[in-house]
C-alpha cells in the first residue's frame, strides 16, 4: 500500500521522524501581539518563549485552514492517514475533516483518507504516528489500521503534564474541564492528564514544581504497574527545561521499564500552552 502520514504541528517530532518518507506536517500559526509565525521547522523555542514573557506570557494560536490539509492529501498514494490534536482543544481536527471533503469533491473518493482525533497532543501524537507507520510498513489493510489505531488511542496511551504556569491555557479558554475551585489555586503546581474524551482533568497538586513532578512520575508509574513495557514508549516533551525533562524521565523509569524513552523539545503550539518550564509526558502501555 502506498501511504502517506499527515500530522498537525502539535506532534512533537523526534529526530527519526524528520527523515520519514511520505510524511507531512501541517502547521498551526502562532501569534504574539503583532508577531506572527507558522509552527514549522523554523520554530525557535527559546526566542518564542522570550517574546511571550515580554508580552506578559500571552500568545494565541490558529488552526490550519482546510485547504492546507487538502493540499497535504495530494499525491500518488492509496491511503492517507491523518492525525490531529484533540478536538476539545482546537478546531484542527474539524479543519482536517473539511480538507478531506474538499479533496474528495475535486478528486473523487478513490484514495482512502482517514482522520484520527488523537484525543491529546504533544508526544502522544508522536507515539500514535509511529504506530501508524509501523502498521503501514507491515502492509496491514487500511480498515485494520483504522480499527487498531482508534482502539490504541483510546485504550493504550496516556498523557500527563505539569506546568510552571497555567496562564496561557486559562487565557485561551483551554481549562473549561477543570472545576472552578481548581482555578482559585492556579498558583499551586497542578498535575493534569488527558481524559478519554480528550479533555483536561486534575490528577494532583503540590506546592513546589519538583514535588509535583515527582508526584506526576509516581502517578504514571502506578498507571502502568504490572504491565510488560518492553515494547512501549515514553516521551517527555519540554519547554526550555531539558534538565527537568531528564529528571522526570529518570523518576518514571526508576519504576517503569519502558522499551523506548525519548526527551524532545515541544513544538510551537505545545510550547505556547505549556509555557516556560512546562513538562508533558506521553506514553503507551
Amino acid at each position: 500500500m502506498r501511504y502517506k502520514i499527515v500530522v498537525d504541528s502539535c506532534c512533537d517530532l523526534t529526530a527519526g521522524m524528520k527523515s520519514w518518507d511520505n510524511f507531512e506536517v501541517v502547521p498551526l500559526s502562532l501569534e504574539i501581539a503583532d508577531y506572527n509565525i507558522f509552527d514549522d521547522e523554523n520554530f525557535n523555542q527559546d526566542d518564542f518563549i522570550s517574546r511571550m514573557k515580554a508580552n506578559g506570557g500571552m500568545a494565541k494560536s490558529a488552526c490550519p485552514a482546510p485547504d492546507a490539509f487538502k493540499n497535504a492529501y495530494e499525491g500518488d498514494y492509496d491511503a492517507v492517514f491523518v492525525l490531529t490534536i484533540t478536538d476539545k482543544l482546537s478546531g484542527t481536527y474539524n479543519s482536517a475533516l473539511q480538507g478531506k471533503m474538499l479533496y474528495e469533491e475535486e478528486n473523487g473518493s478513490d484514495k482512502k483518507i482517514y482522520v484520527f482525533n488523537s484525543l491529546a497532543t504533544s508526544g502522544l501524537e508522536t507515539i500514535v504516528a509511529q504506530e501508524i507507520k509501523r502498521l503501514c510498513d507491515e502492509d496491514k489493510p487500511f480498515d485494520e489500521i483504522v480499527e487498531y489505531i482508534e482502539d490504541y488511542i483510546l485504550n493504550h496511551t496516556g498523557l500527563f503534564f505539569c506546568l510552571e504556569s497555567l496562564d496561557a491555557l486559562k487565557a485561551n479558554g483551554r481549562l473549561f474541564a477543570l472545576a472552578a475551585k481548581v482555578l482559585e489555586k492556579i498558583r499551586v503546581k497542578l498535575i493534569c492528564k488527558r481524559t478519554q474524551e480528550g479533555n483536561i482533568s486534575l490528577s494532583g497538586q503540590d506546592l513546589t514544581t519538583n514535588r509535583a513532578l515527582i508526584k506526576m512520575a509516581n502517578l504514571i508509574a502506578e498507571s502502568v504497574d504490572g504491565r510488560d513495557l518492553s515494547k512501549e514508549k515514553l516521551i517527555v516533551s519540554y519547554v526550555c527545561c531539558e534538565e527537568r525533562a531528564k529528571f522526570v524521565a529518570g523518576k518514571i523509569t526508576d519504576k517503569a521499564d519502558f522499551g523506548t524513552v525519548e526527551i524532545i523539545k515541544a513544538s510551537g503550539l505545545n510550547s505556547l500552552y505549556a509555557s516556560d518550564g512546562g513538562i508533558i509526558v506521553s506514553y503507551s502501555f
Side-chain angles (χ1 to χ4, degrees), residues 81-84 93 114-118 132 146 149-150 153:
F81 298 96
V82 193
L83 180 65
T84 77
Y93 174 70
Y114 192 87
V115 182
F116 292 102
N117 179 355
S118 74
I132 293 171
V146 168
I149 293 297
E150 287 287 11
I153 290 170

Side-chain angles (χ1 to χ4, degrees), residues 108-221:
S109 56
D110 289 343
K111 181 183 295 181
K112 295 181 178 179
I113 302 172
Y114 192 87
V115 182
F116 292 102
N117 179 355
S118 74
L119 301 177
T121 184
S122 191
L124 197 146
E125 280 195 54
T126 310
I127 291 169
V128 174
Q130 291 171 337
E131 195 69 3
I132 293 171
K133 185 177 189 302
R134 180 185 71 81
L135 295 170
C136 288
D137 288 345
E138 292 177 358
D139 207 25
K140 299 292 186 184
F142 180 88
D143 291 342
E144 184 178 322
I145 293 173
V146 168
E147 182 179 1
Y148 178 94
I149 293 297
E150 287 287 11
D151 176 73
Y152 185 76
I153 290 170
L154 192 63
N155 298 310
H156 298 280
T157 60
L159 182 149
F160 282 75
F161 64 87
C162 183
L163 312 182
E164 279 290 336
S165 170
L166 294 175
D167 288 347
L169 280 170
K170 184 180 178 184
N172 285 277
R174 301 303 195 244
L175 288 177
F176 55 86
L178 297 180
K181 64 180 181 180
V182 172
L183 298 182
E184 296 173 2
K185 301 177 181 179
I186 206 72
R187 296 304 167 191
V188 175
K189 304 308 176 186
L190 302 181
I191 304 163
C192 299
K193 69 176 182 178
R194 76 96 187 245
T195 68
Q196 282 197 318
E197 295 74 35
N199 283 320
I200 298 169
S201 70
L202 179 66
S203 289
Q205 63 190 56
D206 219 310
L207 296 175
T208 69
T209 298
N210 267 19
R211 285 171 52 170
L213 291 173
I214 292 170
K215 185 175 289 185
M216 179 177 69
N218 290 335
L219 287 170
I220 292 168

